[in-house]
Amino acid sequence: MILKIYSGAPGSGKTLSVLNDVAETPGRYVIAVPRKELAEEFASYLRERLEAMTRSAIVKTIHSGQPGYREGVVRRIKDALREQGA
């Protein structure tokens, strides 16, 4: 596992740096954020960025506020990883 730490002052562009690195570097990523709105926002940004780069990838958002899911978030993360052969 590779761990990369982004540090800097608020508003210095850490989030966009992370998301751009994810879009540009093939691999499997789990991005954890404190609010479900951020999860949806980041996923949308990644999808748009990947489309602009003409790259395809699976971007899956998992959070507790999604209607129609009975399983817990941890179970859904495990299922998503299993589906992708992790």
Side-chain angles (χ1 to χ4, degrees):
M1 173 173 41
I2 298 171
L3 177 63
K4 189 171 183 181
I5 298 173
Y6 295 78
S7 65
S12 64
K14 296 179 298 294
T15 300
L16 288 181
S17 291
V18 169
L19 296 175
N20 288 330
D21 282 354
V22 167
E24 293 167 5
T25 309
R28 291 188 173 126
Y29 297 89
V30 175
I31 301 172
V33 295
R35 294 190 341 258
K36 47 192 165 191
E37 295 82 11
L38 284 177
E40 295 292 351
E41 182 181 322
F42 292 175
S44 177
Y45 178 86
L46 277 173
R47 288 181 187 108
E48 290 173 13
R49 180 87 168 105
L50 288 162
E51 185 176 323
M53 297 170 65
T54 63
R55 293 190 54 210
S56 64
I58 297 168
V59 178
K60 189 166 195 151
T61 308
I62 299 172
H63 59 73
S64 62
Q66 292 170 308
Y69 289 99
R70 298 180 70 151
E71 304 90 11
V73 169
V74 173
R75 167 80 185 270
R76 290 173 47 213
I77 291 170
K78 288 178 182 178
D79 289 348
L81 289 169
R82 198 174 309 110
E83 289 169 11
Q84 298 309 311

